[in-house]
Each structure stands twice: as structure tokens, then as C-alpha cells.
Amino acid sequence: LSLSLIDAVREKIENNWLIPLGDRDKDLQIHIDIALNPDGTLQGRPQIMDTEMDSTFRAAALSAGRAIYESQPFKLPADQYQSWQSIELTFNPKDMVNQ
């Protein structure tokens, strides 16, 4: 999957991501895997890959998951479906502060 396609998906999600107020300046690496249907909708729930989560991390991760739901369908090239059927994404609230 090209970096530009991943960036387009991440940007669409970040535009819908309401980061909990207290988490905006925290350096949290949130790893989420998503599986998509050919029409760009989710095949199932986004999978938060991080196993050790305190309440702050969990709140930020769950809000990122909600943003993924709100962002679908993703407009991706149908002829490249095999490359974007499954996408691993990383989000960090601290990266969003400057945007």
C-alpha cells in the first residue's frame, strides 16, 4: 500500500477524531488495524493492537476508533483493493496539536 493512500485514510480519520481534552498533549502511539470491504466500508470493528492501556490511553484509542467509523466509506482505488483490504494505522494525539 502506498504511503499516499495510507496518509489519505489517516487524514480523513484525523479530521473526525475528537481527542479527549486531557490527551491532546500526550505522546501516545495508538496502533489500530482495520479491514475494509471493496466499497471502502469497514468489514468489522477496528482492532486496537495495544494490549496495555491505562484509562487515558483507552479513552484516546476509543475516540480514534469512533473517528474511523465516522470516516467511512473510504474512497480508494478499486483496482488496488488487495493492497488496502487491511491497513495498519498509528495515531498520536500529540501530532494533532499543531494542526
Side-chain angles (χ1 to χ4, degrees):
L1 183 62
S2 74
L3 190 55
S4 62
L5 285 178
I6 292 173
D7 288 340
V9 169
R10 185 181 298 113
E11 182 178 344
K12 186 172 183 183
I13 295 166
E14 287 176 347
N15 287 335
N16 289 314
W17 190 16
L18 300 175
I19 303 164
L21 196 55
D23 297 343
R24 292 179 187 264
D25 61 347
K26 299 210 170 148
D27 191 17
L28 306 171
Q29 295 292 319
I30 302 166
H31 302 93
I32 300 177
D33 285 350
I34 60 173
L36 299 171
N37 294 309
D39 66 356
T41 59
L42 290 169
Q43 282 185 5
R45 291 185 1 206
Q47 299 298 308
I48 300 168
M49 303 311 294
D50 307 281
T51 56
E52 295 186 30
M53 294 187 267
D54 62 15
S55 60
T56 299
F57 189 95
R58 181 175 299 282
L62 291 175
S63 68
R66 281 190 296 275
I68 292 168
Y69 274 107
E70 292 171 10
S71 299
Q72 63 178 331
F74 298 96
K75 305 283 188 227
L76 297 163
D79 63 333
Q80 297 178 31
Y81 176 64
Q82 291 300 328
S83 67
W84 54 261
Q85 180 178 4
S86 178
I87 303 174
E88 297 176 24
L89 299 165
T90 301
F91 297 98
N92 188 334
K94 192 171 187 175
D95 293 342
M96 299 296 294
V97 173
N98 298 322
Q99 295 185 10

